[in-house]
Amino acid sequence: MSARRPTPLLALFLRDMQLAWAGGGGPLLAGAFYLGVAALVPLSAGPSPERLAAMAPGLAWLVLAVASLLSLERLFEPDWEDGALDLLAQGRAPLAAVAAVKAAAHWCATGAPLALLAPAAAVALGAPVRIAGPMLAAALLGGLAFAYLGAIGAALSLGARRGGLLIAVLVLPLLVPPVIFGAAAVEAAALGGPWLPSLALLAAYALLAVAAAPFAAGAGLRNALG
Amino acid sequence: MLTVLANPARFMAVSRPLVPVLGAATALLLAVGTWLSFTAPPDYQQGNSVRMMFVHVPAAYMGLFAYACMGGASFAGLVWRHALADAAAKAAAPLGAGFTFLALVTGSLWGKPMWGAWWVWDARLTSVLVLFLLYLGYLALHAAVEDETRAARAAAVLALAGLINLPVVKFSVDWWNTLHQPASLLRADGPSVAPEILAPLLVMSLAYTCLFGVLWLVRTRAEVWRRRAHSVRRAPAMRATLTPEAA
């Protein structure tokens, strides 16, 4: 064998990235949803610039959390349906590592593009331009937490009836800390205050999610395979 | 102790006489607590509304206590695969959700005359609401998965994830609240509660704990019975599929 073959987990990561971008550009769909909901905000809250500017950072952040929930349903389900998950379970890598890699690929494919949109949406709603940097950082870190916490919900609701809505109900209470920390960072940046402490807390929470959530998600996958 | 009770037959034998005893204790404590609640002097600030606390505080405490029980049973069910632990966790969830809901409703009823609002986005209210949502997620997941053992295991993983997340939620919500406004609304006056108020509060807390205990036992026993009835009902069909020529 001449060319070095990638390790199984790396191959899984690359495969998931390719699948995410193949056929219809899945990440773009989440981005379109994000922009669509952001466009509804001025329509429902009124076009008054002062009012919008006051709400813009928080709303851009909230819509980001909701948009990242939507794509979770297809995180494990296709692999579970076509039997790829059974093959992955028979591999040497534990299912927790499989869950971690798939969540990481999900974040790269969906979370990161959404994070790029977040500052644009916030500024379009009337937030000051100086929040763009903190907003991007918060959206990247928050998206990481959303992806890994979401993986728990996606794995646990495999094979359940009403999958999509169920994932949202399972995951939303878990999202309280990252939403609070991220919104605080963005809010502080909008007011010109110190936003790094909140961002550090958000980063801590995201790292905790990355470290702990794969075990719960892996247990959920094992359980779904039975 | 726990391993002895893990045998369902032994659990059923031990819990059978326990139910009427605990039930009688609950009735007695509730009666005494209610009497104390109504005879306690009105608070110098809250007036008669303080009596709401005798229903509200124990309910909030039981909401948390039930989640801890559910988490413990889920852990036992996941690690040692005791079917009884699964039954106990499943039995505790609706009770905890009920107590949490009661705490939210009574708190809202108390808040209207005291704060002038049915609901305030205070840290403690928000974290209790999140606790209620965690219960709802648990119940929804349990109901949505068809297979019994599979539902129990998935729900147990969720319960443990929620258990780990709950202190972080509490911290973050406290932090969020103090960031926006000083914590001034919900002060429990620390230990400086007058003894006339403290007595009914303690008796009612004890009564609620016993109430939860007896309901939990009854529900767990009912769950064991339900599973037995299920397997008895399924037995002829199983026999028929195993030996088709006998049919």
Side-chain angles (χ1 to χ4, degrees):
Chain A
M1 190 177 306
S2 54
R4 260 189 83 227
R5 286 200 306 185
T7 63
L9 287 177
L10 184 62
L12 177 66
F13 180 83
L14 295 174
R15 163 187 172 272
D16 267 33
M17 289 291 283
Q18 280 165 355
L19 279 177
W21 281 100
L28 300 179
L29 214 57
F33 173 81
Y34 183 61
L35 289 183
V37 177
L40 283 181
V41 168
L43 300 181
S44 61
S48 143
E50 305 88 63
R51 194 198 287 185
L52 275 182
M55 302 191 306
L59 274 175
W61 180 249
L62 172 71
V63 177
L64 179 76
V66 173
S68 42
L69 275 182
L70 269 188
S71 41
L72 286 174
E73 193 180 358
R74 302 300 288 168
L75 181 53
F76 297 118
E77 209 177 49
D79 289 347
W80 182 70
E81 279 169 351
D82 67 10
L85 205 58
D86 288 290
L87 290 180
L88 288 168
Q90 285 168 13
R92 246 180 312 164
L95 275 174
V98 170
V101 165
K102 284 187 75 74
H106 180 72
W107 176 65
C108 288
T110 313
L114 275 179
L116 289 176
L117 278 177
V123 171
L125 285 174
V129 179
R130 65 169 172 273
I131 76 153
M135 182 88 198
L136 181 63
L140 282 172
L141 284 171
L144 197 60
F146 296 158
Y148 274 83
L149 293 174
I152 300 180
L156 287 180
S157 55
L158 273 185
R161 288 159 290 185
R162 298 180 298 262
L165 205 56
L166 183 64
I167 295 176
V169 171
L170 299 187
V171 173
L172 275 174
L174 301 179
L175 292 189
V176 169
V179 163
I180 287 178
F181 296 143
V186 176
E187 204 79 57
L191 298 173
W195 47 271
L196 265 178
S198 319
L199 198 71
L201 281 172
L202 178 64
Y205 190 82
L207 290 178
L208 174 70
V210 170
F215 294 102
L221 291 182
R222 172 72 60 203
N223 186 41
L225 292 173
Chain B
M1 170 71 187
L2 272 177
T3 41
V4 170
L5 285 182
N7 178 340
R10 207 167 295 143
F11 166 78
M12 293 305 267
V14 169
S15 62
R16 194 190 171 92
L18 220 60
V19 170
V21 171
L22 256 180
T26 307
L28 188 69
L29 281 168
L30 268 182
V32 173
T34 311
W35 184 70
L36 281 177
S37 303
F38 279 106
T39 51
D43 185 73
Y44 79 101
Q45 255 185 335
Q46 304 181 13
N48 274 321
S49 301
V50 75
R51 299 185 205 288
M52 192 72 88
M53 288 295 104
F54 306 140
V55 195
H56 169 73
V57 174
Y61 145 69
M62 286 322 296
L64 273 176
F65 185 77
Y67 199 92
C69 291
M70 191 176 92
S74 298
F75 183 76
L78 269 184
V79 174
W80 294 293
R81 312 229 168 171
H82 286 164
L84 190 63
D86 289 346
K90 187 187 174 193
L95 295 174
F99 279 120
T100 311
F101 184 69
L102 188 64
L104 286 172
V105 169
T106 52
S108 178
L109 290 176
W110 178 85
K112 184 59 184 167
M114 287 301 111
W115 302 339
W118 295 111
W119 185 263
V120 178
W121 287 101
D122 169 83
R124 215 176 295 191
L125 276 76
T126 312
S127 48
V128 172
L129 184 63
V130 171
L131 177 69
F132 185 60
L133 291 176
L134 280 173
Y135 275 122
L136 288 190
Y138 181 94
L139 291 172
L141 182 61
H142 218 304
V145 180
E146 203 99 33
D147 182 80
E148 191 113 354
T149 36
R150 212 172 267 193
R153 289 182 68 77
V157 172
L158 183 72
L160 287 182
L163 200 62
I164 293 172
N165 211 45
L166 216 48
V168 189
V169 168
K170 180 85 184 104
F171 161 74
S172 67
V173 167
D174 279 343
W175 185 81
W176 157 76
N177 181 55
T178 49
L179 197 71
H180 280 252
Q181 52 180 314
S184 58
L185 297 174
L186 244 176
R187 299 292 304 168
D189 295 321
S192 62
V193 178
E196 308 85 73
I197 302 286
L198 193 61
L201 203 56
L202 287 180
V203 173
M204 283 304 260
S205 301
L206 208 56
Y208 269 55
T209 313
C210 285
L211 178 66
F212 170 71
V214 70
L215 288 179
W216 195 20
L217 272 184
V218 168
R219 283 187 57 86
T220 310
R221 286 173 58 81
E223 181 66 21
V224 173
W225 282 121
R226 198 185 61 76
R227 286 184 188 181
R228 277 191 200 166
H230 192 65
S231 53
V232 166
R233 215 176 322 124
R234 221 171 33 182
M238 291 288 278
R239 268 200 303 276
T241 47
L242 286 176
T243 53
E245 68 274 10

